Amino acid sequence: MPARHISSQSFDEILSDLGDDPAIPDPHGIRKPPPHQSTPHRAPNQGRSNPFTESLNPIQIRNSLQGIALPIALIGVLLAAAIAFFVAYTSLNKQSQDALERPQQQLLELKKEMLLMRDQINNDQDELYLAIDEIEVSIHLLKERKPETRTLNRPQAPTYESELRRWQYLGTSQMGNTQQAYFHTGKSHLVFERGAQVLGGWHLSSIEKGLVTLTHSQGKSLVLKASKSE
């Protein structure tokens, strides 16, 4: 630190202001003697006032409380109003959301029902078209098969049936185990054993005295009775 220059007079004044301090030597006798005070000796803390107790004046406290109470009351009212507004806003917002969600839900359900109805209508329409196509195909098939059906429904007579009906059974004869039948075809006489092939697919299946039975391979039978002239 730089040295400070103090004059001797200033130094003496400082020593005189310090008073009678035994810790500071006074070799030149410059220090002033302390003045005699007639005031009684007080306790260290008796003469010292407490600034905190002095500031706690009842009137000042009451005025301070009155000055603070109004802002506190206003803050409380504003806080209560804010809370009430927030609660009311939340309730109204929830109600409005619920009111909006219900129509939206109903619209979604109606949309789903309309989609299902449209799909059902499309399916019914497709089934109807398929049924119409099947009916048209069936009609065409019936028109095409009608002549064939008529032809097949007519029973066809076995071959030579009409010719065999003109034959006359003349009678039968027995020679041992062999039994024969005699016929007149209108042009000639013929003799056949039982079981023999007569004409085409016809066989002589049975011989009796009064009649014979001819059977075709298709299952049809023809009976010829004996003529009265026999």
Side-chain angles (χ1 to χ4, degrees), residues 6 24 69 81 139 150-151 174 201-202:
I6 303 174
I24 301 173
I139 291 172
R150 290 178 181 178
T151 303
Q174 184 78 28
W202 294 93

Side-chain angles (χ1 to χ4, degrees), residues 67-196:
I68 296 172
L70 182 60
I72 292 175
L74 290 175
I75 293 172
V77 171
L78 292 175
L79 184 61
I83 293 172
F85 176 77
F86 178 75
V87 172
Y89 175 77
T90 304
S91 178
L92 291 174
N93 190 16
K94 185 177 180 181
Q95 291 178 0
S96 62
Q97 288 180 355
D98 295 338
L100 289 175
E101 287 178 357
R102 282 195 295 269
Q104 290 178 356
Q105 188 68 25
Q106 292 177 357
L107 288 175
L108 290 175
E109 292 178 355
L110 289 174
K111 186 176 180 180
K112 290 180 180 179
E113 291 179 358
M114 291 179 67
L115 291 175
L116 291 174
M117 291 177 63
R118 186 179 67 182
D119 293 339
Q120 186 66 33
I121 291 172
N122 292 331
N123 293 330
D124 294 340
Q125 187 175 3
D126 294 338
E127 293 178 357
L128 182 61
Y129 287 153
L130 289 175
I132 292 172
D133 292 338
E134 291 178 356
I135 292 172
E136 290 179 353
V137 171
S138 300
I139 291 172
H140 290 303
L141 291 175
L142 289 174
K143 289 181 179 179
E144 292 177 358
R145 293 180 180 178
K146 189 175 290 185
E148 297 179 359
T149 305
R150 290 178 181 178
T151 303
L152 293 175
N153 289 335
R154 292 178 181 178
Q156 294 182 356
T159 310
Y160 304 112
E161 181 181 357
S162 60
E163 186 176 350
L164 290 174
R165 288 184 181 276
R166 291 193 296 266
W167 285 14
Q168 293 182 358
Y169 172 51
L170 301 178
T172 180
S173 65
Q174 184 78 28
M175 296 180 61
N177 294 329
T178 302
Q179 187 178 8
Q180 297 177 340
Y182 299 90
F183 299 93
H184 187 273
T185 63
K187 297 179 180 181
S188 62
H189 291 80
L190 297 176
V191 180
F192 297 98
E193 296 180 358
R194 186 174 60 181

Side-chain angles (χ1 to χ4, degrees), residues 157-169 181 183 196 198-208 210-226:
T159 310
Y160 304 112
E161 181 181 357
S162 60
E163 186 176 350
L164 290 174
R165 288 184 181 276
R166 291 193 296 266
W167 285 14
Q168 293 182 358
Y169 172 51
F183 299 93
V198 177
L199 188 63
W202 294 93
H203 295 77
L204 183 59
S205 59
S206 176
I207 300 176
E208 296 180 10
L211 54 86
V212 293
T213 302
L214 301 173
T215 304
H216 195 270
S217 59
Q218 294 180 356
K220 189 172 184 179
S221 297
L222 177 63
V223 177
L224 298 178
K225 295 182 179 180

